[in-house]
Amino acid sequence: MKHPIKAAFFDIDGTLVSLKSKVYPPSTAIALKRLHENGVLLFVATGRSRFEIESEHLLDGLEFDGYLTNNGQDAYDAEGKLLYGKPIAPKEAAAILDWAEENGHACWMVSSEKSCMNRCNARVLEAMEAIHTRPPELCDLHEMLQAPIFKIVLFLTQEEMSIPMSLAPSCRTTQWFELGHDVISIDGGKENAMADILARYGIPQNESIAFGDSENDIAMLRAAGIGVAMGNATKEAMEAADYVTDDCDDDGLLHALEHFSLI
């Protein structure tokens, strides 16, 4: 390999953690440990917040050098110190919340300190069940607007999303479920957070490898030196990758690292 890999970035759902069993395969723990021992820095790159990772115990027992959360809107070191943040413009966050409240829609907000939603309904339950996660606590989201908001989740159809997005011209969306859309700042995203973290360590992007399986991983897979799509990935994620490995449940992560002689 012309450029050795010095940093690796991993999505969680469907990549590190099985969508079927709700836990990471034993082979994943073995692969990550070997990769770390070989001097490669390990980073989580997920649409989830750090609150979800901790409360759901998704990665207990695994060691990482940092966490890129909320689709790259904020990043933390291994001790939880905020390294990077791309909050949504306050006026736009407030406008989306006002629209959601006026129209009776569920709205979920995430800051660096809190993760809450205004109401829970059937759409919320369906979407959260798909990722095996409990809905966040309910609270008055207007109080959360006093702090920077890194992500807003709306449980709407693609067509319904057009109205709230018209209220937030400096934002874009990524979709993780048919009725699950993350609203993030337009200059955020996993790929931008990855670039920032690599720059902090003085690592060129072509000396990185990224693993993912869904729409919100595509830009990251393209930006990394090597982009790996899981066997359970969407067609679009596979097309964006340099290599397609086996399914998460069939030791795909281990097999890909062996394929590239990284472990």
Side-chain angles (χ1 to χ4, degrees):
M1 186 178 296
K2 186 176 181 180
H3 297 287
I5 296 300
K6 296 179 180 177
F9 297 81
F10 303 91
D11 172 52
I12 293 181
D13 297 290
T15 301
L16 289 174
V17 174
S18 167
L19 293 174
K20 299 175 184 177
S21 68
K22 309 178 187 179
V23 297
Y24 56 82
S27 64
T28 291
I30 294 170
L32 293 179
K33 185 175 186 295
R34 290 178 181 171
L35 189 61
H36 217 196
E37 289 172 347
N38 287 342
V40 177
L41 297 175
L42 308 184
F43 299 94
V44 171
T46 179
R48 289 182 180 268
S49 70
R50 64 189 182 95
F51 307 105
E52 292 174 82
I53 296 172
E54 294 168 1
S55 66
E56 299 295 324
H57 304 286
L58 294 169
L59 304 178
D60 287 3
L62 301 180
E63 182 180 349
F64 294 93
D65 296 286
Y67 299 82
L68 286 56
T69 56
N70 295 313
N71 284 313
Q73 292 304 98
D74 49 341
Y76 304 84
D77 65 15
E79 285 71 47
K81 177 185 176 183
L82 182 66
L83 299 176
Y84 168 99
K86 290 288 184 180
I88 295 171
K91 289 185 178 179
E92 295 181 12
I96 290 176
L97 175 57
D98 288 343
W99 176 84
E101 292 279 13
E102 290 169 6
N103 291 276
H105 293 300
C107 182
W108 176 11
M109 287 187 170
V110 182
S111 71
S112 64
E113 300 298 331
K114 200 169 185 180
S115 176
C116 274
M117 67 191 321
N118 61 343
R119 59 172 52 85
C120 186
N121 57 27
R123 287 186 175 188
V124 172
L125 295 176
E126 182 182 357
M128 300 306 283
E129 173 61 25
I131 57 172
H132 314 300
T133 300
R134 292 166 292 181
E137 64 178 285
L138 302 181
C139 75
D140 182 355
L141 295 185
H142 290 94
E143 296 178 359
M144 283 193 66
L145 292 175
Q146 303 305 309
I149 300 298
F150 290 121
K151 181 179 73 176
I152 297 175
V153 184
L154 296 174
F155 301 85
L156 306 173
T157 66
Q158 192 70 52
E159 293 72 25
E160 290 169 339
M161 283 296 296
S162 62
I163 298 177
M165 292 311 297
S166 70
L167 304 172
S170 67
C171 290
R172 62 187 174 100
T173 64
T174 62
Q175 186 173 3
W176 50 271
F177 185 67
E178 183 180 2
L179 296 173
H181 300 264
D182 290 351
V183 180
I184 62 175
S185 61
I186 202 165
D187 58 350
K190 292 185 180 184
E191 72 281 9
N192 290 320
M194 180 178 72
D196 181 272
I197 294 299
L198 290 172
R200 288 174 183 271
Y201 285 93
I203 300 174
Q205 285 195 217
N206 62 357
E207 295 181 2
S208 67
I209 187 170
F211 292 77
D213 71 304
S214 60
E215 188 268 347
N216 64 354
D217 297 314
I218 289 175
M220 177 177 71
L221 294 177
R222 288 174 174 159
I226 300 173
V228 179
M230 306 303 291
N232 47 277
T234 64
K235 176 185 176 184
E236 293 76 15
M238 288 184 180
E239 291 174 346
D242 300 296
Y243 179 75
V244 178
T245 187
D246 297 313
D247 191 292
C248 172
D249 293 290
D250 294 325
D251 306 327
L253 196 148
L254 174 68
H255 293 161
L257 293 175
E258 289 177 337
H259 171 81
F260 288 105
S261 301
L262 293 175
I263 59 174

